[in-house]
Every structure is written in C-alpha cells, then in structure tokens.
Amino acid sequence: MRPPMRSPGRPEPSRAVQRHFWRRIASGVTTAEAALAVGVSWPVGTRWFRHAGGMPPISLDEPTGRYLSFAEREEIALLRAQEFGVREIARRIGRDAGTISRELRRNAATRGGKPVYRALVAQWKAQQAAKRPKTAKLAGDDRLREYVQERLAGSVRRPDGMIVTGPRTPGWKGLNKPHRQDRRWATAWSPEQISHRLPVDFPDDESMRISHEAIYQALFIEGRGALKRELVMCLRTGRALRVPRARSQNKPQGHVTADVILSERPAEAGDRAVPGHWEGDLIIGTGRSAIGTLVERSSRSTLLVHLPRLEGWGESPPVKNGPSLGGYGAIAMNAALTTSMTQLPEQLRKTLTWDRGKELSGHAQFALDTGTKVFFADPHSPWQRPTNENTNGLLRQYFPKGTDLSRWSSADLEAVAMAINNRPRKVLGWRTPAEVFEEQLRSLQQPGVATTG
C-alpha cells in the first residue's frame, strides 16, 4: 500500500503529546515543567521549543473523530497481540473493518522483516503520511522576500545614499537576546510596519501581501528557509524565540509570596493621609552600579540609599551563582536599607512598597530588623508606585542613564536628596517635602498624640 519509510530511530511522541506540551507552554510554565508533565525529557522539550521558535507548530484544537487516535491504535495493538481478527477488533473499538484492515497493512512496523503492529510506530507513520508541506510565501516569491528583507535588514544610509556600516558586531551564535553589546545597524522596520506598508507601495498588486505573523514565523521557526535566522537581530528586541504571553506575565519570583503582594497592603497606605508609608526602587547605571531611592507617600520626602561596590569588584571574573559584588545584591541591599530606615522614628516606617526586583528578596529579615512591612507591586505596574517613579525621573537630572553611579559618595547622595526635598511642590500647596516632613516629625514629638505603629 505504501513504500517503506526510512526510520529515524525512536519515533517522536504522538501529536496528542505534543499538543498537550504546547498547551502547557501557553499556560506559562517553563519548558522543563511542560516536558515533565507530558512524559518526555527536558532536552526533548527544549528542542521542540527552540526548533519551533517558541511558536506552536501544530494546531492546539482537538482533532475530529475522522482519523484514528493514538488511544485507538493502542487498543488495536493490544487486540492484535491477542490474535483477534480484523472484524472483531473493528467491532470492539467501533470502527469500520476496512479502516482496521488498512491500518494494519499501512502502518505496521517492518524492520524485523515481518509486519508487527505497534501503536507508537503506527502513530508516527500516520503522522508522517498526513504531512502536506506547503512552501512558505516568502520562500516562493523572490520579489516579496527581497522587499521584506530590505526593510527588515537593509543598510542604514546617509541622505546622499552612502551606506553607514555602524559598529562591528560579533557573529550571531543563536543566542536569544543581545545583552549590553553592539548590535548591527539595519533599516529595522518591524514586521507589522512592513505588512501594512505593502498595500501603500503596491496598491494594485495583490501578490505583494503578507501578514506580520508570517514574517515572524519565517524568522522564528527553524527550517522555513525564507529568511535567515540571524535576521532576528534586526528586530527591536533581538529576540530569537517568541515568549508565550502567559510566561512573560508569570516570571518566577519566589520571594514574592501571597502575604506581601500589593493587595495585602493596609488601606491607609493608599490615601496618603497617614505618614510612614514609603515607596522604593533602584536607579541603575553602567557597570552594575545603582542607587536606592525611598520616597514617603504623604510628604514626598526622598531618601537616597548609597550602594557601594563590594570588595573584589572588577578584580576577577564574576562567579555564576556567587556573591553579588555590584552593591545591590540581597545582603548588601538589606544592610543599606536597614541603615537608612532605622534613622527614622518607628512611627514613620510602617510599610515599604517595592518593585519586584530580586534585590529585596531578603525582605523578611529587613522587616524583622526595621519593623517595616514590605509589599511588592504587581508585575509591569509602575503606576502602583507613582511617587517613586516620578521622583526617579527627577533624579535622572543628577544621575543620567548610561553613567557610572558608583562614583558618588553617601555625602553626595545626601546633598542631592536635600536639593530634591527643598523644591516646592504643587501637590503640597507649594510647600517643600522637607517642610511637610518636619511637620510630621513635630507632630510625633507632641505629648499625648496618639500614633499607630
């Protein structure tokens, strides 16, 4: 019925297993967890994910009952091993006898010289025979491919047409995203821009049409043959794998537990009427330098936390999973924050709302040392720390991006904080944060004033 198929060794798992794997990926779990859930090794799961560019290569919809499923093939193999006839097998699984007869002839294993029906081999043969490879549109249309490639990876030119080469870049090694290194200068239109520009440039040529999704697939999915994989470096992010949306929203952050999420923060911290509730974050400079920023929500008073580099920085290559010498590892961050917060009266250090950075993964010890309960904002939600975000923008006047922040001493930071705190604010009725904060301190020192701590 069918010419012999070359066996690639162990047949790949069934479509049902792969479908279950990609559903797990779409739910946001890691590749290793998805592989474990479907019963394959994590290297196999990783290979599936990378070869597909992070995009499901098969439909995730359940197949119709028109074709035999893997479970039915397992039942056929069991009944055949018990020497039941074709009609009896068909009756037991509810299929036509002709379907069973063709299945046993077409998809039996023949490597031993004699046909033997095995469910796994039969499923693999059926999947191979069902493939209907279709040439990608970019691979079959040279003019369209040249247009897309020119807008995506074309050269940057001066007004007179001369090519600007840009920086020299290392060869692409298949890594996902470039990290702090020069990237190739290219025209760098996004796939969406290319897709929507085609009808403008070719209004009467329907062959010059392609969706942005098809361009992404040509870049991400290995073996499409239309665009070279290294052209992903011309995308905005330089990402070589598509990140499932649920995974990007569910990054592992073990230090953020249910009792320290923002919804658990006391209601009084939200209305700014009661002093003592702070917001915090880091501003980052070059060379893994950073400055901690703390802003009181009621008075808008700012504290700057000095984070000097630790001993041994720059003397030897960094050690994977070793101590962080940049100055804002969890231990150094805890020590610096504790020093800053304990200078305040106990009544003015009730809560601290922080970004989800790992630098505050030791928040439990910090809360014990200072009495300040730490809460973490939701992922990708800077508006939940509005005062701190606004203040960080003001501080960039003194500490611009792309500069080394480790060169400033604690005295320098104190001077900048004083300058910020002595600016009049419209939200405070043109009083300064320093004046409002001083009023808060005086109110705490008055005898008989009830406070909450």
Side-chain angles (χ1 to χ4, degrees), residues 150-169:
E150 174 62 28
R151 270 93 189 142
L152 178 69
S155 301
V156 175
R157 298 176 182 271
R158 294 175 180 166
D160 60 2
M162 183 177 294
I163 294 177
V164 180
T165 57
R168 296 185 62 181
T169 58

Side-chain angles (χ1 to χ4, degrees), residues 195-369:
S195 174
H196 285 83
R197 183 67 187 186
L198 279 166
V200 177
D201 291 345
F202 304 94
D204 302 322
D205 190 351
E206 290 296 325
S207 67
M208 295 294 286
R209 302 286 187 271
I210 191 170
S211 68
H212 65 275
E213 181 68 14
I215 299 175
Y216 278 119
Q217 289 183 5
L219 290 170
F220 287 155
I221 299 180
E222 191 171 293
R224 279 298 175 100
L227 299 175
K228 293 182 179 180
R229 191 81 184 276
E230 57 262 30
L231 295 185
V232 296
M233 295 295 292
C234 299
L235 296 175
R236 300 279 193 275
T237 61
R239 186 180 291 124
L241 297 173
R242 174 170 284 179
V243 179
R245 182 175 296 130
R247 181 183 291 183
S248 67
Q249 296 172 351
N250 188 31
K251 292 182 180 178
Q253 293 169 325
H255 64 288
V256 181
T257 53
D259 59 325
V260 294
I261 58 177
L262 189 70
S263 59
E264 298 297 319
R265 190 177 67 175
E268 68 175 29
D271 58 15
R272 302 179 186 270
V274 179
H277 299 283
W278 298 76
E279 297 175 5
D281 196 11
L282 295 178
I283 55 175
I284 306 296
T286 59
R288 297 190 62 81
S289 58
I291 296 173
T293 63
L294 296 171
V295 186
E296 204 276 319
R297 284 177 55 82
S298 177
S299 66
R300 277 71 172 181
S301 182
T302 300
L303 292 177
L304 296 184
V305 182
H306 186 222
L307 299 171
R309 289 171 176 155
L310 304 185
E311 183 180 354
W313 166 263
E315 297 177 2
S316 57
V319 179
K320 185 176 181 179
N321 297 325
S324 176
L325 304 180
Y328 57 99
I331 297 176
M333 193 73 208
N334 262 14
L337 273 182
T338 300
T339 301
S340 297
M341 292 296 288
T342 51
Q343 295 175 3
L344 301 170
E346 184 179 354
Q347 295 87 347
L348 288 183
R349 39 187 166 97
K350 296 183 177 71
T351 68
L352 172 61
T353 303
W354 200 265
D355 191 13
R356 293 217 168 188
K358 292 292 185 69
E359 65 273 1
L360 210 59
S361 57
H363 60 86
Q365 185 61 46
F366 170 77
L368 287 176
D369 295 339

Side-chain angles (χ1 to χ4, degrees), residues 1 15 25 153 257 260 401-402:
M1 296 292 291
R15 287 287 183 89
I25 291 293
T257 53
V260 294
K401 293 182 180 180

Side-chain angles (χ1 to χ4, degrees), residues 4 30 65 92-93 130 133 147-148 165 248 422 441-442 447:
T30 65
R92 293 200 177 196
I93 70 171
Y147 180 94
V148 171
T165 57
S248 67
N422 282 284
L441 290 176
R442 285 200 301 268

